[in-house]
Amino acid sequence: MLLSELAARFGLTLKGGDKEIDGVNVLEKAGPSELSFFINPRYAHLLDSTEAGAVLVGEAHAALVPTALVSANVYLDLARLVSVFAKPKGDFSGISELAFVHDQAEVSDRATVYPFAYIGARCVLGPGVVVFPGCYVGEDCVLGEDCLLYPNVVLMSGTRLGRNVIIQPGAVIGGDGFGFAQGPAGHVKIPQVGVVEIGDDVEIGANSAVDRASLDVTRIGPGTKMDNLVQVAHNVRVGANCLLIAQCGIAGSSRLGDNVVVAGQAGIKDNVTLGDNVMVAAQAGVGKDLADGSLVGGTPAMEHMVFLKSSAALSRLPELIRRVGRLEKEIERLSGTAADGEEHG
Amino acid sequence: MLLSELAARFGLTLKGGDKEIDGVNVLEKAGPSELSFFINPRYAHLLDSTEAGAVLVGEAHAALVPTALVSANVYLDLARLVSVFAKPKGDFSGISELAFVHDQAEVSDRATVYPFAYIGARCVLGPGVVVFPGCYVGEDCVLGEDCLLYPNVVLMSGTRLGRNVIIQPGAVIGGDGFGFAQGPAGHVKIPQVGVVEIGDDVEIGANSAVDRASLDVTRIGPGTKMDNLVQVAHNVRVGANCLLIAQCGIAGSSRLGDNVVVAGQAGIKDNVTLGDNVMVAAQAGVGKDLADGSLVGGTPAMEHMVFLKSSAALSRLPELIRRVGRLEKEIERLSGTAADGEEHG
Amino acid sequence: MLLSELAARFGLTLKGGDKEIDGVNVLEKAGPSELSFFINPRYAHLLDSTEAGAVLVGEAHAALVPTALVSANVYLDLARLVSVFAKPKGDFSGISELAFVHDQAEVSDRATVYPFAYIGARCVLGPGVVVFPGCYVGEDCVLGEDCLLYPNVVLMSGTRLGRNVIIQPGAVIGGDGFGFAQGPAGHVKIPQVGVVEIGDDVEIGANSAVDRASLDVTRIGPGTKMDNLVQVAHNVRVGANCLLIAQCGIAGSSRLGDNVVVAGQAGIKDNVTLGDNVMVAAQAGVGKDLADGSLVGGTPAMEHMVFLKSSAALSRLPELIRRVGRLEKEIERLSGTAADGEEHG
């Protein structure tokens, strides 16, 4: 496709001569027929040596390259440009005879079901849905248009997906929540009879888990993106456009507002409420409700800046203890009185 | 089913008029033919607006609702009542012709094997066992009565399950432990030839992993419940009725007593021993043996109350350092002597 | 096999009488025809009661047992000896008629493909490759000689494995990286069109995830061993002979040198570089570049010894705050002046 066509399609400014482009690649690897991109000034030196046919840049950097597509939002236009050249993964289409599709399932004739996928009774698969091998779609599930289940995804019974939901391989939606009552002879399972509802444009990462509610619904709001190995427990409600980064976990019945970011390996306790636009730093542990716009870190979580200063100060603590001990001796000497030794532990 | 029948069956007291009940739901959603429940006083306001036909409550709250089942253990009776109305997940029965069942496997005629499940040589599947699609049951596995393997569960060779074990989707039992010797040319795999044994009434969460022992056995005691994405390494022994919450990990050869609770994202080092009734707080890191009944938090883990006080105090540390600096100057001034500056780092 | 044969084969010294050995087991369980091993002096008391026919020991302990194979590297020789007796897991061979193998896939006639495995277009499977049930091998994947994919492993399109790569059940290689641009209406997916390359002799643990690069390549170096539930994000480069322990995570575009050890539940931020021989302690959080040979712990990570001392000191902080308060009062009294109360927070 011509640079000029790409420019026209996405409202970009073409700087330099027009040429045919057949892909997108990083600066180090792009060839003369490929487009590359430049965002991080740290890599400015690569602009000198790149063989890329053209570079997508912001206005501030347009002068650095001879042939450029100039953008007001480089990341966003990169997403669009890569989409032009991206091949879908997988090359099967139609309903495989090696799949199991229940008689009572309702599968669009524009859906794809790979070999070894299982589609249960009363499921509804909209047009454009693709179900890869090894997926299990339990009874009474609903998959909106263009949903994409990569291999070995499990949707247990009653799961409802909006449109354009992407689920990476191995993710499990609708497994039982972790609910047990204490009986005289040990833990007694509370059957988990609720469901999971997932909004439009959600993406869920590889080997993540979203549990069904005990009685009601576990909900992931539209536009929310979950990374790999994330845990969402029963009855949780996640708002719209949140980002849940790899290996974080949200415990039972907690609520997240819209645009919340939970960074990698962070944990949210059960039954807490996080407002909109909350950001939780990596590995933080949140045990209390957080107001809109909070930015927290540490375990238990505190204001992020306080956490950074406090944890930086931590390495000075052993020496501080010695300094306080010296001060106490000085004071004793100065005041000529004996301090109470037993409190100096 | 009539409220009076439910009351009689579970030893509950019926308060108010009898009626037909066809399900259990949360207070906000329950309709006139549904039972709801009330435990947390925080939600007392919902009792005014609920349309539930009846409410399961403890004695202390019986006066708050017109029609009630009054219980001495609301959680436990909730578990029982939900069970009455819960449908099993999945609706297939029998041995599918689309499954692979080895000639030498011994499968009860009262077991269910879904399409695309693989049952290896010399396996024994007891009556009531259900194996969902995509499960792999390696050679020489034994599954006791009523075991339930949800989709895409993997039992590697030699795994033994007691009765009534429930394994949520995607869990892997009996993968190789992480054991390598250091050779001159790098890491050399120590073949993992032990097995995994899982006791009666154990539940294992979605996408969790329990590794086979190097030579001997990795064991999960009866009644223990594991949440999603939990890691249990080779040679670990977990006692009875433990709770291992989501994303926690137990490293190699460690031992947990009975009734141990390891909260979410906590980690237990290899080769440590935790006594009975130990509780490990969320995100804690345990590096040492713990006596019966210990309650610990933090990394490295300390007594939980000490951890809470210490970590709360942490935010005051930067200011404390400034205060100590001021004190040192005051002392210098008072004593008229110069303190040793280099130690004030 | 005779002890003398084992000794000759691995360059060990036989102490005591020769005998036939048919397996390896732990000291507590080994019988008269089994070999056991002794490494940890903590278990020396087991040498008195063991019924093992012979014990593999280091020179220092040879005197403790009547019949021994004496080794200069007990762990390494244990690995070799166990290998002699280990049976491979799984007993199928050949290409199953119940598998799906694309017409355009190139599968060695010395490879094994189990039922319900899916092999996509243009894949190349070398001799000795074994693909267990439920695996998905997307189009254009290359698997070198003797690669072993345990059940339900997913290799998305374009994944390249060297020789002798072992992937434990449920691991996902080549899922989409977590890349989104911020658009006016929310997060916009940046298509992930790069690949994953995995070197010779790598092992990847159960339910781990290695994401494909955005445009380029995510690479795991030869000889590196990953444990269960590990997350490796897009564009990461891991060097040779690293150990990534269970539940750790490496965020996008970070680089690890050779022989790096990342312990359990530790996290590495995106875009950082760790030199060779770095060791990251369990649950640590690394946010900055680390020089060769660094040993760090804590979040944010600091020198490990400093972390240990600082976190040990943390429990004394509440008392330290009180001590400083007392000192301030003493000083006030001594100097007869009022300190500035508002700073004492």
Side-chain angles (χ1 to χ4, degrees), chain A residues 27 45-52:
Chain A
L27 286 168
H45 62 281
L46 296 174
L47 290 174
D48 296 330
S49 54
T50 187
E51 296 178 15

Side-chain angles (χ1 to χ4, degrees), chain A residues 298-321:
Chain A
T299 302
M302 57 188 88
E303 206 201 313
H304 190 53
M305 195 47 74
V306 173
F307 168 65
L308 289 181
K309 285 184 184 166
S310 304
S311 52
L314 182 61
S315 63
R316 300 176 63 186
L317 182 55
E319 184 235 343
L320 191 72
I321 292 172

Side-chain angles (χ1 to χ4, degrees), chain C residues 262-338:
Chain C
V262 181
Q265 300 182 332
I268 313 293
K269 198 176 158 287
D270 59 292
N271 283 291
V272 303
T273 299
L274 276 57
D276 295 336
N277 304 303
V278 166
M279 298 189 71
V280 177
Q283 297 187 323
V286 176
K288 290 194 288 203
D289 291 357
L290 291 175
D292 290 356
S294 302
L295 172 56
V296 301
T299 302
M302 56 188 89
E303 205 201 314
H304 190 53
M305 194 48 73
V306 173
F307 167 66
L308 288 181
K309 285 184 184 163
S310 304
S311 52
L314 182 61
S315 63
R316 298 177 63 185
L317 182 56
E319 185 235 343
L320 192 71
I321 291 172
R322 287 191 294 273
R323 282 164 65 187
V324 170
R326 280 197 299 269
L327 284 172
E328 285 165 339
K329 285 198 187 120
E330 278 293 305
I331 294 269
E332 275 184 58
R333 194 179 56 78
L334 284 173
S335 62
T337 69

